[in-house]
Amino acid sequence: MSQYFADVIVDITSEKLDRVFQYRIPEALSDKVRIGTRVQIPFGGGNRSVTGYVVSFSESPGFDPEKIKEIAAVPKEGLTVETKLIALAAWIRETYGSTMNQALKTVMPVKVKKKSREKKRFRLLADQEQASLLLEQYNKKNSKARARLLEALMKQGSLEWEAVTKDLKVPSSAWKPMEQQGILRVEGEIRYRNPLEHLDPEMQQGQLPSLDEEQHLVCEGIRAEWKSGNRPVLLQGVTGSGKTFVYIELIQGILEQGKDCIVLIPEIALTWQTVNRFYQRFGEQVTVLHSRMTPAERSDQFERVKKRQVRIVIGPRSALFTPFSNLGLIIVDEEQEHTYQSEVTPRYDARDTAIQRAKLEGAHVLLGSATPSVESSWRCRRGSYARFLLESRYGAAVLPEVTVTDMREELKAGNRSILGRDLHKKIQERLQKKEQVLLFLNRRGHTGFISCRSCGTVIKCPHCDVSLTYHNNGRLICHYCGYTREKTERCPECGSPYIGGFRAGTQQVEQLVQREFPSARVLRMDADSTRGKDGYEKILKAFAAGEADILIGTQMIIKGHDFPDVTLVGVLAADASLFAEDYRASEQTYQLLVQAVGRAGRGVKPGEAVIQTYHPEHSCIQAAIVQDYDAFFEEEIAARELMGYPPVSGMLAVHASCSREEQLDLAMEYIRKFLERIARGGTTRIIGPAPERVAKVQDQYRRVLYVREKNRNRLLRLRSTLEKYIEINPGFNLVQIQFEVISVGAGGISAGNES
Ligand code: ADP
Ligand code: ZN
Ligand code: ZN
């Protein structure tokens, strides 16, 4: 393909990324100009020479070809961080589907114009001898303020503004003349906001905890992999094995090589303990980036990065685009979390994008988890990732003992409470021993499914092996293929009338617990109780400080926290996520159960967990009881293979919304037909369209269609062909369409050559 024109952005530091200018590519430079390349161009009426970046190509001129100027030169220096980020944006656009402009806005740090906070200091210029003479004079003349200031400066060399003006109370009438005489100087120093400065500085010890044998061996192994193949590394460590300390050790090594690190975490609000550990170890070289920061605060962090005052950035997925110019390592902690998938276009996957960024920079990638995603384990299995294991807890701690309560038996025995008898008894015991309890109410997935409380049967789609969801119109529906049926009043298996949805909120659990254990101090953590800026942090800290006996909550209480005094974890409604209408339901349930169980017994006292379920025999619950990841994985990957779900197949979702329902359905029908036509003869399967889980939002109807395809390149090609079809077809003008690459399939992102 001949490409004659390059679209160049001139200003990448502001919000003008969509302002591109077309330039002609001279023959001599045609080999050198790529997406992301820095170019020297004549700009504006006076043709002054400015630097720009190529973001796309076109074959035809956008205006009078005579007037299009030529790129003057491609500067020799190597790749800058900007060129690499632009190349990353191009890859994101290509892989996940979006405009180049959307992709650029995702990766480029937005600069804001703001007043920087200046911190002033007084510095002594006179040498000690001169100063002593002066001091004598001041004392003689009784210039007390000057003498005070000079004396202090002779001791310290320099003093903060406040120390002089407030503490020493030196008026400007005293220091101004001294400044004019060249005895001292007032210096300005820009002070950037440090979002971590409220953390306790006394806790900054700076030492590295010494690693235990297992942790040490894993670090050695990972370093060896980095030196040889440099594949992405998956660190699979049981809960409490000390993954954080392995991260810290590896980061230390990277810093010593003069390179910088990015640590991605699922959500900042739930990760303050981890951030604290990094801050304790690395002090001001660490900062965080997150959405609750003001643009000025964010911009300050980028400045600190640029000046290399900051060497480690911790944050949720967007921290991946921190403009380090010498990136050495990207860590993705709790890599299985769904928050690594962006919900807005481009819907990039931060893990795969991390791997791509690392490739462009020659950096390493480390994914960490106690319960890795099936996708990552699958890639380990196929050899495109290297896997390292931490199989025991740090120190004397052991994994908790897990027991299961069959809730069908509870019903038979006449107990209709949310709390089984075993859990009830165990809570009582802990309260007596003054140990702490976590009660995890599983609300993951949607509680829209229908199940039988007598026999446990769940009503599923006959085609997709996912649960049907109850809709207000009285029907049950499959959110993959659109299959619907009547709701039943009796269980189709055992005829029991105890069939319905599972509904209990954290508030109800709290009331029940208060009623049953009136003396217990109870804390509740959910979306309601955590409103306000530091809602999560406050509750977590209070519980960690022993201000309550029982903490009740949803997913957020089981994510990575380290509460050494918790010796009992109760899992209420383990099944809620098991029957979420999603092919990942078992995976998510296994992960949640292991994480929940993993909160118990992390200190010196051994822990215990009770899982309450209607499906004690389910393989994923069985695997969670013994915390056998490999057993879970074998079972799960076999099921995925059978059903053709990711990661064995790639999967693309086409999300569409429109205020007019008929128009939307028509559009989806066209999309389906188009896909069928272009995919004919291949291994592509098209599923749906079906209503989205939330089928209408703010008067916008919503539909989704899934495409499954084993071949990675074919899947991406289908997406881009469809994208073009939609773009040029005015029939889609009123319909909002978004692509979501749920999985690129077996080959993974780093192995495009496999297909
Ligand atoms: P994970 O993230 O793997 O669940 P953590 O990093 O939270 O585990 O560590 C679990 C516990 O073990 C923490 O209380 C931590 O302080 C302790 N720990 C782990 N490794 C070390 C070490 N090398 N030195 C001192 N304490 C450690
Ligand atoms: Zn039944
Ligand atoms: Zn179905």
Side-chain angles (χ1 to χ4, degrees):
M1 200 189 347
S2 52
Q3 286 160 334
Y4 303 110
F5 303 102
D7 301 318
V8 177
I9 41 171
V10 185
D11 188 354
I12 55 166
T13 55
S14 68
E15 283 160 355
K16 294 180 196 140
L17 289 169
D18 33 4
R19 238 1 226 126
V20 295
F21 302 90
Q22 208 173 33
Y23 281 83
R24 199 182 288 279
I25 305 170
E27 213 28 69
L29 293 179
S30 63
D31 289 350
K32 290 197 183 138
V33 177
R34 303 257 174 283
I35 285 184
T37 303
R38 221 147 88 100
V39 290
Q40 215 55 51
I41 45 170
F43 192 72
N47 279 338
R48 76 199 147 90
S49 171
V50 302
T51 308
Y53 295 87
V54 175
V55 296
S56 49
F57 294 110
S58 42
E59 280 168 56
S60 47
F63 56 102
D64 180 1
E66 296 294 308
K67 293 201 175 126
I68 300 182
K69 301 173 194 171
E70 260 190 4
I71 291 175
V74 175
K76 275 233 175 61
E77 335 103 68
L79 299 173
T80 64
V81 61
E82 288 82 13
T83 64
K84 287 185 272 188
L85 286 175
I86 291 168
L88 187 63
W91 178 89
I92 287 176
R93 182 207 127 72
E94 188 60 33
T95 308
Y96 301 103
S98 71
T99 63
M100 188 59 189
N101 189 29
Q102 286 168 320
L104 280 173
K105 290 209 157 139
T106 306
V107 307
M108 288 295 175
V110 173
K111 256 215 177 156
V112 290
K113 290 217 171 60
K114 41 105 211 198
K115 272 201 219 128
S116 40
R117 296 192 301 181
E118 216 184 15
K119 194 171 112 182
K120 289 192 203 156
R121 295 186 75 82
F122 289 82
R123 182 173 300 282
L124 183 64
L125 296 178
D127 62 29
Q128 288 289 330
E129 205 176 322
Q130 293 170 321
S132 327
L133 283 172
L134 274 169
L135 187 60
E136 230 167 90
Q137 285 177 21
Y138 291 158
N139 281 332
K140 252 188 225 154
K141 285 198 235 156
N142 209 11
S143 313
K144 283 189 185 143
R146 292 186 202 193
R148 252 193 335 266
L149 174 57
L150 189 57
E151 211 165 1
L153 279 174
M154 283 169 71
K155 271 193 207 123
Q156 313 224 7
S158 76
L159 290 167
E160 284 184 13
W161 178 264
E162 288 79 20
V164 172
T165 55
K166 297 229 173 72
D167 303 348
L168 295 177
K169 297 201 172 50
V170 179
S172 60
S173 59
W175 63 259
K176 279 249 168 79
M178 291 170 77
E179 187 187 24
Q180 279 154 14
Q181 291 158 23
I183 300 166
L184 58 79
R185 184 169 65 206
V186 180
E187 303 174 335
E189 175 187 302
I190 296 171
R191 227 172 101 219
Y192 299 112
R193 296 159 185 85
N194 173 3
L196 299 180
E197 67 193 352
H198 68 287
L199 293 183
D200 191 355
E202 268 180 35
M203 285 173 70
Q204 272 190 51
Q205 293 142 1
Q207 302 124 320
L208 214 56
S210 52
L211 297 187
D212 68 14
E213 177 76 8
E214 196 186 26
Q215 293 170 342
H216 177 72
L217 284 176
V218 157
C219 283
E220 299 276 285
I222 292 174
R223 290 201 181 106
E225 171 63 36
W226 286 349
K227 280 210 188 99
S228 52
N230 196 22
R231 288 172 294 174
V233 168
L234 176 69
L235 174 62
Q236 182 175 338
V238 298
T239 52
S241 57
K243 290 182 286 298
T244 323
F245 292 88
V246 171
Y247 299 160
I248 287 176
E249 168 77 19
L250 293 170
I251 287 173
Q252 179 67 30
I254 298 290
L255 296 186
E256 280 163 14
Q257 291 170 22
K259 297 191 171 184
D260 306 317
C261 304
I262 295 171
V263 180
L264 299 185
I265 50 173
E267 193 179 338
I268 199 97
L270 302 177
T271 332
W272 280 98
Q273 253 179 354
T274 310
V275 173
N276 233 314
R277 284 182 184 161
F278 279 92
Y279 195 63
Q280 280 169 30
R281 173 59 194 87
F282 298 109
E284 297 204 334
Q285 295 181 90
V286 181
T287 195
V288 291
L289 278 179
H290 57 84
S291 58
R292 284 191 289 177
M293 290 168 105
T294 62
E297 269 180 307
R298 286 179 73 82
S299 168
D300 267 11
Q301 304 322 305
F302 291 133
E303 288 300 315
R304 293 174 76 201
V305 160
K306 224 157 100 197
K307 298 209 155 67
R308 301 202 82 205
Q309 294 169 359
V310 156
R311 310 282 308 276
I312 304 160
V313 167
I314 307 178
R317 61 170 185 264
S318 61
L320 175 58
F321 307 113
T322 304
F324 280 125
S325 55
N326 197 10
L327 185 64
L329 171 63
I330 306 172
I331 292 177
V332 185
D333 191 27
E334 304 289 347
E335 66 87 29
Q336 79 285 352
E337 289 289 332
H338 68 284
T339 51
Y340 288 124
Q341 182 101 23
S342 168
E343 289 117 32
V344 291
T345 305
R347 291 184 175 228
Y348 65 96
D349 178 322
R351 296 164 307 176
D352 284 344
T353 309
I355 292 169
Q356 184 63 21
R357 178 160 187 206
K359 235 186 189 173
L360 293 168
E361 313 248 6
H364 313 299
V365 175
L366 177 63
L367 309 172
S369 176
T371 53
S373 60
V374 168
E375 185 121 22
S376 294
S377 291
W378 175 242
R379 292 186 193 177
C380 287
R381 168 75 62 86
R382 295 170 58 99
S384 48
Y385 290 2
R387 181 169 87 148
F388 291 88
L389 301 175
L390 286 171
E391 290 176 298
S392 55
R393 280 192 158 179
Y394 177 76
V398 288
L399 286 172
E401 197 173 299
V402 185
T403 48
V404 171
T405 300
D406 185 341
M407 294 306 277
R408 296 170 299 191
E409 295 299 323
E410 294 295 307
L411 185 70
K412 266 189 211 150
N415 176 20
R416 293 226 215 146
S417 158
I418 309 170
L419 290 182
R421 291 162 294 173
D422 190 31
L423 185 54
H424 194 284
K425 188 182 97 223
K426 284 180 171 145
I427 294 175
Q428 194 82 60
E429 284 167 15
R430 302 305 137 135
L431 290 174
Q432 271 156 15
K433 286 200 267 180
K434 307 236 172 303
E435 293 172 2
Q436 288 183 304
V437 179
L438 275 187
L439 288 181
F440 162 48
L441 178 64
N442 188 1
R443 300 271 295 173
R444 181 60 191 270
H446 298 256
T447 43
F449 71 89
I450 303 287
S451 69
C452 171
R453 292 184 66 185
S454 297
C455 76
T457 294
V458 171
I459 316 245
K460 287 188 167 188
C461 172
H463 310 295
C464 306
D465 195 36
V466 297
S467 318
L468 297 177
T469 304
Y470 179 67
H471 272 240
N472 290 336
N473 61 8
R475 293 188 71 82
L476 298 172
I477 182 158
C478 170
H479 283 288
Y480 278 149
C481 72
Y483 167 88
T484 75
R485 58 166 281 181
E486 285 294 320
K487 176 178 173 273
T488 60
E489 298 302 326
R490 288 188 174 272
C491 172
E493 289 300 318
C494 74
S496 156
Y498 290 110
I499 187 158
F502 181 93
R503 278 175 232 289
T506 39
Q507 260 167 325
Q508 283 141 287
V509 177
E510 183 186 20
Q511 283 161 10
L512 174 79
V513 168
Q514 281 294 358
R515 210 163 50 231
E516 298 287 323
F517 311 101
S519 67
R521 296 166 304 160
V522 180
L523 274 176
R524 175 171 59 89
M525 189 157 130
D526 57 23
D528 287 335
S529 66
T530 52
R531 294 231 172 87
K533 197 169 182 225
D534 307 312
Y536 295 100
E537 217 183 324
K538 269 192 209 129
I539 296 177
L540 292 172
K541 273 191 179 148
F543 189 64
E547 287 165 27
D549 306 303
I550 303 177
L551 174 61
I552 299 168
T554 49
Q555 290 66 275
M556 43 185 118
I557 66 169
I558 60 165
K559 301 284 179 195
H561 315 302
D562 200 25
F563 304 120
D565 287 326
V566 169
T567 60
L568 175 65
V569 170
V571 179
L572 311 178
D575 312 335
S577 54
L578 198 49
F579 301 108
E581 67 295 60
D582 186 323
Y583 74 91
R584 283 165 293 203
S586 293
E587 176 179 352
Q588 283 163 359
T589 305
Y590 179 81
Q591 286 162 349
L592 288 173
L593 293 182
V594 171
Q595 278 164 16
V597 168
R599 291 317 104 205
R602 294 168 71 90
V604 266
K605 294 171 223 150
E608 211 182 340
V610 178
I611 296 176
Q612 300 193 156
T613 171
Y614 290 92
H615 297 267
E617 69 291 340
H618 194 288
S619 64
C620 109
I621 291 186
Q622 287 295 324
I625 294 170
V626 287
Q627 315 222 4
D628 185 345
Y629 181 85
D630 291 341
F632 151 75
F633 176 73
E634 292 306 332
E635 187 91 22
E636 185 61 22
I637 202 73
R640 301 272 177 99
E641 204 134 11
L642 194 69
M643 295 301 296
Y645 282 128
V648 184
S649 265
M651 189 149 147
L652 168 76
V654 185
H655 300 277
S657 63
C658 179
S659 58
R660 292 197 228 150
E661 201 170 13
E662 303 98 85
Q663 183 130 15
L664 180 62
D665 284 329
L666 196 64
M668 285 312 259
E669 216 27 59
Y670 272 110
I671 289 176
R672 187 193 163 89
K673 287 210 179 99
F674 179 75
L675 282 170
E676 275 169 354
R677 199 165 69 236
I678 61 173
R680 199 171 25 212
T683 49
T684 311
R685 273 210 56 194
I686 296 150
I687 305 139
E692 298 258 24
R693 271 167 213 166
V694 183
K696 191 176 169 189
V697 174
Q698 289 174 337
D699 293 322
Q700 295 282 316
Y701 294 91
R702 303 165 81 224
R703 298 283 187 275
V704 60
L705 178 145
Y706 295 92
V707 183
R708 286 199 316 231
E709 165 59 61
K710 276 202 164 179
N711 183 304
R712 170 188 191 272
N713 292 343
R714 197 176 301 144
L715 184 71
L716 296 185
R717 243 187 345 259
L718 279 175
R719 200 220 60 228
S720 66
T721 314
L722 177 61
E723 205 174 18
K724 282 185 199 114
Y725 170 71
I726 289 166
E727 217 176 272
I728 57 167
N729 213 314
F732 294 108
N733 280 354
L734 291 175
V735 183
Q736 300 269 2
I737 294 172
Q738 277 198 347
F739 298 98
E740 178 191 9
V741 177
I742 295 172
S743 166
V744 288
I749 227 76
S750 54
N753 52 351
E754 257 185 81
S755 50

